[in-house]
Amino acid sequence: MGGAHGHHGHAHAAHAHGHGTRAFAAATLVNLAYAILEAGYGFATGSLVLLSDALHNFGDVLGLGLAWAAAVIARRPPTQRHTYGWRRATLLSPLANALVLVGFSGALAWEALRRLHEPPAIPPLTVMAVAALGIAVNLFGAWLLHEGRQHDLNRRGAFLHLIADAAVSLAAVLAGIGMWRLGWYWLDPVTALLVGAVVAAGAFALLRESFAAAMDAVPRGVDPDAVRAFLLAQPGVEAVHHLHIWSLGAREVAMTAHLVRPDGGDHDAFIDAINDALDARFGINHPTLQVEHGAACAHDRHDRAPHAH
């Protein structure tokens, strides 16, 4: 039997980590400054919608900080104890981020319900001005993180938070207009309640996806059946078992598989060609393949199910 491992996907991933670190740093600092400003105006005016949005923004600052830290940690090289390095930090950060958002959304909803009976009169023009600034700040932060978000759960989680924040700030502007033109001060707690619901929905979706990644689920966008079919279609391959696909971290997808290939030949060239094709077709850039000459592998009887992952 023989084995080989492809290394060709690592250079661009390291570059992506470097770019991501700078983007996370900028987005975190800008949002922290705005959250402090918004909280100050919220306390000064007694506006629940500003305070709730500020609390939400502080939550996202924490989330962005976690994502920033994860991007930095992920650049640490492998060690004898951590042979894969620290790439999985970018998968654990969104999980913590989602848990924080769930907690904050519950706090927002509780305070909004408490104020529904006696909504205080607040200065709507101040609410509108501060919230409008929030739209600009959050869209700027989202723009910093938009590149590569499709293949980076860490970056996508932070990006979605910023887009949600922009929508929340827009809702606050609309609530301010209603209070200013119609005197509907109940819009302050109602909007805050809606903010909590929106945040909770997004947080649960991120929680589900990040938990799946932390549990080594097949990454979104990779079809394991298609990968198995591709491997079976390679010259001389009669069977495929022990196929596992999981995320190592942002933009790094690992795979292991045993290929039963009785015929002899240049296994090194055969595996190199498959490694290149796996990266090009499926984005699997960290494959490890083991070639066997027969179906009598001792491990095969533990992995006979055709849907093994």
Side-chain angles (χ1 to χ4, degrees), residues 2 9 26 64 66 86 112 120 148 151 171 180 187 202 248 277 306:
L64 285 168
L66 289 172
W86 296 76
H151 307 292
W180 176 42
L187 283 173
L248 282 179

Side-chain angles (χ1 to χ4, degrees), residues 156-196:
R156 185 163 68 250
F159 174 84
L160 291 176
H161 284 173
L162 293 169
I163 291 296
D165 280 351
V168 166
S169 295
L170 176 60
V173 170
L174 296 177
I177 293 174
M179 290 182 285
W180 176 42
R181 303 295 296 179
L182 303 172
W184 291 352
Y185 291 103
W186 53 266
L187 283 173
D188 185 62
V190 167
T191 303
L193 188 61
L194 292 176
V195 169

Side-chain angles (χ1 to χ4, degrees), residues 48-57 101 104-106 108-109 112 164-165 167-172 175 187-202:
L48 179 59
V49 71
L50 286 183
L51 285 173
S52 62
D53 192 27
L55 184 62
H56 181 205
N57 276 292
L101 283 179
F104 280 169
S105 64
L108 293 179
D165 280 351
V168 166
S169 295
L170 176 60
L187 283 173
D188 185 62
V190 167
T191 303
L193 188 61
L194 292 176
V195 169
V198 170
V199 173

